[in-house]
Amino acid sequence: MKQLALAFLAGLAAACGFQPLGLWPLTIAALALLLWLVREAPGLRSALARGWWFGIGHFVLGLNWIATAFTYQAEMPASLGYAAVVLLSLYLALFPAAAAGLAWRWGRRDGLRLVLVFAAAWIVTEWLRATLFTGFAWNPLGVALVATPPAHAARLVGTYGLSGVAILLAGMLLLVLRRWLAAAAAAAGGATLAAAGYLAGAAAPAPAGVALRIVQPNIGQQDKWRDGFEEETLIRLENYSTGGADEPRLLLWPEAAVTRPLESGLRDAGHLADVAEIRRAVAGILADKDLLLTGGVTWQSPDGHDVTSATNSVFAIDRSGRILARYDKAHLVPYGEYLPMRPILSAIGLSRLAPGDVDFDPGPGPATLDLPVVGKVGFQLCYEIIFSGAVVDRKNRPNFLFNPSNDAWFGAWGPPQHLAQARLRALEEGLPVLRATPTGISAVIDADGRLLASLPWRRAGVIDSRLPPPKAPTPFARFGNSLPLLFAFALVLIALVSGRIAAGRKGG
């Protein structure tokens, strides 16, 4: 029980490396403790249990913001949010448990081999966590390193490979007192990847691009969908959007900034007039040369009479009120944008966390739209940005990514964690990322993952900036998650070779 308690505490400590705390050295130290606990486990079941309890602590603290979402849902008690965090953590902890079990099974006889197998297993299990059952990729371990030099390795091996680098750094701590040569090898491997990643993205930047303005109106979730509040929303958006220059400008509004449908399948005259009215109101805010990218909704109605579903979308709108293009969110949030097994869950009183009884339809996936003013734009709506390797149409690479989001129901921890993951997408793909959120944190992120400008959480305002240039495609941008999986395979091969060398020395 003492070892399990230590594993749980190590998991809590490891989560402190994520934002908003950002104590990444504590994450590395906690991982070193986990490696030691796994190495000292008397059997496979014990190793699995230690990894599982580490995972529980890690996810319960790191995902505490999920509980806040329930405070905005009147149909379900807020206390259910804490139960949801625990239940989700019990499931997600299976992935660190699997990594610990594999490391013990194949690496327990040698410290370096244990570290290498654990790093490889963590990469694979973290990728599986982001893939199985629609995936939940929030807070991969590598995000803790986003503001550190090792983060450059993400250009080569992506976020999941960067998580493996974090394990190698922790292994260095574990080995340094016992086997300095093995510790040096682990450190050299991580440093080499970081240096190679840095060189892979070292091309000189082009001149700054088009003028842009990001609007953060500071509209909380408690007000956003309140009856009659859409008029106040438009007033705030107008106040922060006007005052454009004579040159063409890109104006960016958050997810679902416009709560009334901008497009609709309903065909009755009164509804069509309402849709036309909201488009005119939005267009009236724009300057002559503005292009607006805004979050909004589309109502779906096959028969033209009844709404059957909706899409969570981004609309490109010009000064005339024309919709030039539309992107529909593809990776929807279970329980937020649709209710799985709706007939069963509705019958027992459960509902979606977001307002409304109509589920959203998924879009086709990453898309690049060629628009006036800015050229090729890629879109990732809110939650979609967390899925490493799945944010860009690789056959039609954009010049930047627009990530409108609504983090207003993510508590104090969710928004900075979301921003950190967006920074890693920029670093991986070599593309700038622009974020617009109603309550923060809105930001301009360059192609190196650096924050050029941002607005704090719960503060209204604007970001006036220039569109940062893209870089040449990184190795990860070309080959995606095949690279972290190849990295994991390489770590296993090195572990096998090192094991045979060690066995040969003993035999000799």
Side-chain angles (χ1 to χ4, degrees), residues 209-459:
V210 66
L212 58 88
R213 172 172 287 189
I214 298 174
V215 175
Q216 182 170 296
N218 195 29
I219 296 173
Q221 191 71 5
Q222 70 278 5
D223 295 322
K224 187 174 187 66
W225 300 100
R226 184 157 52 85
D227 288 342
F229 196 77
E230 62 267 16
E231 183 177 350
E232 172 65 21
T233 296
L234 282 176
I235 290 172
R236 293 194 195 184
L237 290 171
E238 181 175 10
N239 288 341
Y240 287 111
S241 299
T242 52
D246 291 335
E247 64 179 318
R249 183 182 66 158
L250 177 62
L251 188 60
L252 301 164
W253 290 358
E255 177 185 15
V258 182
T259 54
R260 288 158 61 187
L262 288 165
E263 282 191 324
S264 176
L266 296 177
R267 298 291 88 187
D268 67 273
H271 181 72
L272 290 175
D274 185 63
V275 171
E277 178 189 4
I278 188 63
R279 283 194 201 170
R280 284 194 298 270
V282 169
I285 295 173
L286 308 183
D288 288 339
K289 298 178 182 180
D290 283 351
L291 173 69
L292 170 67
L293 298 181
T294 180
V297 295
T298 298
W299 285 355
Q300 305 290 342
S301 177
D303 62 6
H305 298 291
D306 299 305
V307 176
T308 57
S309 59
T311 61
N312 188 357
S313 306
V314 183
F315 297 87
I317 301 176
D318 66 8
R319 180 67 173 82
S320 70
R322 288 184 304 151
I323 293 178
L324 305 179
R326 189 183 93 201
Y327 168 80
D328 296 334
K329 185 176 182 181
H331 209 129
L332 302 176
V333 182
Y335 305 99
E337 290 166 313
Y338 71 97
L339 188 65
M341 302 178 293
R342 175 174 284 278
I344 298 173
L345 296 183
S346 296
I348 61 175
L350 295 181
S351 63
R352 278 177 33 201
L353 296 176
D357 296 324
V358 175
D359 286 339
F360 287 87
D361 292 332
T368 299
L369 303 179
D370 200 347
L371 299 173
V373 179
V374 290
K376 291 184 175 182
V377 186
F379 298 87
Q380 288 294 293
L381 233 169
C382 194
Y383 176 72
E384 292 184 302
I385 198 71
I386 72 173
F387 291 91
S388 174
V391 299
V392 169
D393 179 359
R394 300 194 186 283
K395 295 179 181 178
N396 189 15
R397 178 176 164 86
N399 295 323
F400 69 97
L401 289 172
F402 178 41
N403 176 223
S405 184
N406 179 15
D407 295 354
W409 55 328
F410 284 6
W413 284 47
Q417 290 177 5
H418 207 177
L419 174 64
Q421 291 170 96
R423 292 178 65 184
L424 268 188
R425 296 298 85 75
L427 191 59
E428 286 174 335
E429 301 289 346
L431 292 174
V433 175
L434 309 179
R435 280 178 51 80
T437 74
T439 58
I441 304 170
S442 301
V444 177
I445 305 167
D446 74 4
D448 289 314
R450 296 176 300 188
L451 276 179
L452 300 185
S454 64
L455 285 169
W457 183 54
R458 288 186 173 177
R459 181 180 299 176

